[in-house]
Structure formats: C-alpha cells, structure tokens
Amino acid sequence: MSSTPHPLVDSGGSLGAAIPATNSPNEHRHHFNHTGRRLRHFLRPDGRKVHIASSPEEAQALHKTLTETENEGAFDLVLHGSPEHIEALRDTHNHHSNRHKTLREEHGDLAEEFERTFRELDNLSRELHQVTSHAVQLDASFSKYGYSAHLRTKGSGSDPDSSTNSLQDSEAFHKETWNTERKLGTTMRFYQRPIVRQYFHKGLLWRAREAQEVASYELFIDLFYVGIIAITGDNAAEHPTGEALVHFAITFVMGWKFWSDISLLIAWFDTDDILRRLSVLFILTCLLGFTTNMADAFKHTYTPLVAFYLAARLFIAVSLFWYGYSIPMVRSVMIGHGIVNVIPAAFWIGSIHVEEPARQGLIWPALFFDCFGQSLLMTVQRPWSFLPDRFDKWAKKTFEFSPGANIEHRIERTSAFVTLVFGSCVLGILYQSSAEFGINAFFGKAVLGLIQAFTFNWLYFEIDSFNLHTHAIRRHVSSALVWFTFHLPFIMAFVLSASALAVLVRAHDCADTPVESLYETFIPRSEDHISDGLRWFYCAGLSISLLCMSLIAFSHQHKKIPHERLQKPTRLLFRVAVAIAILCLPLAHLDSLQLIGTTTGLITAVLGLELYGASCTGDSIFFDKKCRRDKASYDAQAVRKEELAKSVGEGSVRNVEDISKREKGEVGVSGQV
C-alpha cells in the first residue's frame, strides 16, 4: 500500500464530519454531518501550512507571530475569501480527490466495504437514537389536549462525543458570546477609541461580528422628529402658495440632513461612550434651535436658522476629521466626507448676506451638495471606466478602505422614520367634537384619511416587501442610489399631503358639516372654502409619494412566482396610472369630502390590485379550504439520554412532575397541537 498522504488539517483542526479514530475493531462512534467552525488552517500537499486570517488586522498580527515562531517558507498566510485562499483550497482539494480516486482504484473492494460499513453504522445509530428518544412513556395525558408526546434528549457532560452534542454543535459556547455578555454592567467611559463597524476592502465587505442594535437615543431622535414634521407641514398648509412650497422644501431637506447625519455616524462607528451621547445631545440642541426659527425663517429668523444648521453640519465635519485621525485605515475617506460637508457652508454663509429672490441662487446649490455630496464622492472612490487608468489606480490606493453602513440597521432606521411620517398623518386628522352624536361628514373624512394612511403603510411595509428576492441596497449600486434618493421626496410629499389633509378634514365646505359640532378650539381652524392651492398640495403630494413608492419598489428584485396573476412591473404601472389620475383631480374642483373620498378609492384600488395580482391562478384570495392551521410544534429539553435508554429497557413510566422539579431552566417535551 502506498504511503499515507498529508492530512487536510492538523491535529488541532477539524473538517466537517471527520471520522474519529477507534482503538478497537469493535468500537465505532457514530458521526453526523454538521457544520463546524470555520477552518483556521490546513496543510498543502507539499507540507506547508496555510494560515487563514479573517481580516487585514488579524493578518498583520498573525504574520508577526508566525515570523517569530515558524521557519521562513514553512507557511502561507492568506486572507479569508481572497483569490489566494480559494486557489490554495482548490489545489489541496484536487490533491485529496485524486488520492481518494487512486485508493478506490487500488483497493476497490476494500474501500467500498469500509464506506458501506460506515454508512450502515450511521443509519443504525440514527435509528437507535430515534427509538430511545420516542419510546419513553410519560404519565401525562398529552392526547387529551391534542398533543403527541415527542421527547428530545440532552447529553450528559460525561459524554462529550455523544450524538446529541454533535447535533447541537451550533449551540456551542463561543468566545464572542462571552465577551458580549461580559459587557453588561460594565462602566461606561467618557471616551473610547472609535471602531469601524464594517468597511469595504477590495470589493469585500468586512462586517463586525457583533450585531448592531438600535440605540435608545436613536428612538428618542425619531420621536423628536414627530414635532418637526408637524411644524413644517402645518406652516405650508396654512398658506398654500408657491412661495410656501419652496420654503417647505428648503426647511424639510435641512431638517432631514440632521437625521441622516446622526444615523450615518452611528452606523459607521461604534463608540459606546459618554462623549457619543453628548455629541448627539449637541446636534439635537442645534435641531431644536433650527426648529424654533422655521415658521418666520424667510422674513426675520433666517440668520439663526442657518446658524443652528451650520453648527450641526460643521460639528459633523469635525467629527469626521477626528475619526479619520483616530482610524488611519479610513483616513482618506473621512477627510473626503469632511470636505464635502464643509463646502456647502460657504454657500449658506453667503445666503445670509443676500436678499430674496437672489438668496435662492445660493440655497439650492448648497442643498444639492448637502444631499448629493456623498454620492459625488463615491464616483471618486469608484471611478468611471472612461477616466484614465492613472486616476483609477490612485483612487483604489487612496480609498482602499472605506466604511460601510450596516444594511439591516439602515433599513430599520429608514422604516422607523417612514412609520413616523405615516403616524403624522393620523395625528393631523384627529379633531375634537362637541356634538352628542358626532357621526357626520367630519368623522367620515377623518375615517377616509385613516384608511389612506393605513393603506400606504400596508403597501410600503408588506406589499412591496412580499416575495422580495434581493433588497435594492444589496442588488446593485444604482438600485441602492435609487432607494436612498427617492425616500426623501417620498417622505416630503407625503408630509405635505398629510398636512393638507388635516385642513380638508376640518373644512365645513360640504354637506353634513355643522361647524358648531366642532369643539370650540377647532371652530376657528375650520375653513368654509378650500383654495386651489390646498387641493394641489394634497393631490400632488399624494401623487408624488405614490410615484416615489413605486420607484422604490421597482428598485428591489422580486421573486418570479409561477402562475402569478399579474407580475410586479404590471402592478407598478397601474400604480403610476393612479398617481397621474390623482395629480389631475384638482382640475375637477371637488369639495373636501368628494376629494378625500375619490383619492381614498383610488388608493384602495391600488391595494386591491396588488392583493389580487400577487395571488396565483386558480387560488382563492378569500380563503383556502385546504388550509388546516390546527397544529403547532413545541419543543423543550426534558430527559437525559441515559435515562431514556434505561426507561426503555425497564418499560417504566417517567413522572413529568419529578422531571420538572429536578431540572433547572426550561424543561418539557416537544409535540404538536
């Protein structure tokens, strides 16, 4: 027999379901295929050990250690997922595949017998485990309540090689879990060195192991924005003119930048210290000062409005420069983002010293840089193909590392903000009645407005996420830019429409709207005539928000369901047609009740088509006769494997109460009901 080849892993590693060595021919420990921990090192066919680093930082530290402990040329160091790593794995895999093929050719019958014996032992071991797990009787009458007794064992600590422990390998103790739990209850320091949560390097996204959770102060920021949304929308709806629309757009975008800047810093860097919270408090203070000067900004309070805005923006720029100084890995990118934040400040300062309408010539370029400056910087980090190769090499070298926002966290934060916007619509339609039985047109318009908000929430969070294959952020850079870009006009248009809706609900311009039925504080706020500007604010805002929501849904990649009645693009085209119809409604000069009723009917038609079109041909959208939701699975640890085997042999009955008194933690059985 030829010599034994080098093993794929050394004695300290493991690969999948390796066959353990046995000391006697009669002994066999059954094994199961399960996913173990990621391979840290393996041996090449020539004997060189390949060490795998999970990050560039670990590679540097590992290289320093290996240089001191290993002989030169006796090891290879590769980065996980790199081309060198893949090539080494393929070469080693091909070597052992050829070796396996050679052994089968040289010792065909013997090799077949070994493999067949191991397969039979595994099958018998699994069957024996099932029998010992299911054959134990309990003194509880589970069938009385529709349960079927089905026990799951837990291995004892004295049997480290038991099958139960092998099957529960995914629940093994990890060092990262211990470090995470150990942080609980520790002292919060004033300053901690910032850590990049995740970053891009040569096309790979390196993510932190710890999950990024939403901090409590992030929720506090969202609640703060409820008042800001109400103020900006109410100011525009109070005087529905073109000038008010321009002022609304400017102040809303400026307020949006406060929220996006805070979210970006939190998503990029982990600094769980007191200074981070004080920084957020400073930005919120600037936001408060900004909000108190919005109503009369373009007459008397424009200077303090811009001052508070610039204070927050420049503070963000200083923070970016500081992060670049503290973390050399992303220094170039942070300097670039800091410069992008500083450039618009010159336009804002200049706008203070210019009167209207020339001031608008400085405001809108400043807003453009504030909103799209990061996108412009991305074109420098990822140069277009027509640019010279020298520039491409310089960009790749200069911006080799760039921080990346956590996708799940960004989606969750944006969804929370959209929820607040939908909630602001509900707040606007709340009025107070003084009638003994106030079921009238006021209440009817409020109900229709509630249906609108609920339908938009249904479409955004459920319909457009149904059968989602790839989110827009993960799909492509262009789709991610569409998703990021169109959320701002979507939210802004819906806020404008919701503010106009609040005025329409209180208006007494139609039948069955007795103004005396309103509470005394709402009577002065009730209009007897609605202007064309208010109609355009309401319908155009609703139309634009529906169009933007269609583009956001189109940026995702949805699954193609066989026999689907209407594909997603077809349903989105109908949504666009409805948006155009809503946009034209002000030309009909309808009263408030007719206008709200018509728009609500069109929006619910979109929802109805989505529900019908997403179903499959031949399926009923009302109910399913074959659907039998009369069973549910329950699972909990109950009895040790050794006790089960003993009980099977003796034919004894296990007492459930004795088990629950003896065991600690969660105990019980698994079954169906």
Side-chain angles (χ1 to χ4, degrees), residues 431-496:
Y431 71 96
Q432 295 298 309
S433 174
S434 61
E436 294 182 358
F437 189 73
I439 305 298
N440 47 32
F442 290 122
F443 181 76
K445 289 187 289 184
V447 171
L448 293 174
L450 177 63
I451 294 174
Q452 284 186 20
F454 189 84
T455 303
F456 264 87
N457 186 83
W458 195 342
L459 289 170
Y460 181 86
F461 288 104
E462 298 186 48
I463 298 298
D464 290 343
S465 299
F466 180 68
N467 285 331
L468 188 64
H469 181 270
T470 307
H471 194 276
I473 301 180
R474 300 182 185 273
R475 184 180 180 183
H476 194 266
V477 176
S478 58
S479 62
L481 290 176
V482 170
W483 191 86
F484 286 124
T485 303
F486 282 95
H487 263 91
L488 176 57
F490 163 61
I491 293 173
M492 187 164 56
F494 192 87
V495 169
L496 182 65

Side-chain angles (χ1 to χ4, degrees), residues 247 250-251 254 258 286-287 289-298 300-311 348 352 363:
H247 295 169
I250 293 173
T251 54
M254 294 171 73
F258 280 92
C286 295
L287 179 59
F290 170 84
T291 306
T292 57
N293 292 279
M294 284 195 305
D296 201 26
F298 294 90
H300 304 98
T301 60
Y302 181 77
T303 299
L305 179 87
V306 174
F308 281 112
Y309 177 73
L310 284 182
W348 287 114
I352 296 176
I363 290 177

Side-chain angles (χ1 to χ4, degrees), residues 73 107 130 184 196 237 245 251 287 430 491 527 541 555 602 645-646 668:
H107 311 281
Q130 292 290 327
L184 301 178
V196 181
L245 178 62
T251 54
L287 179 59
L430 295 179
I491 293 173
E527 303 286 342
S555 64
L602 291 172
K646 182 179 179 181

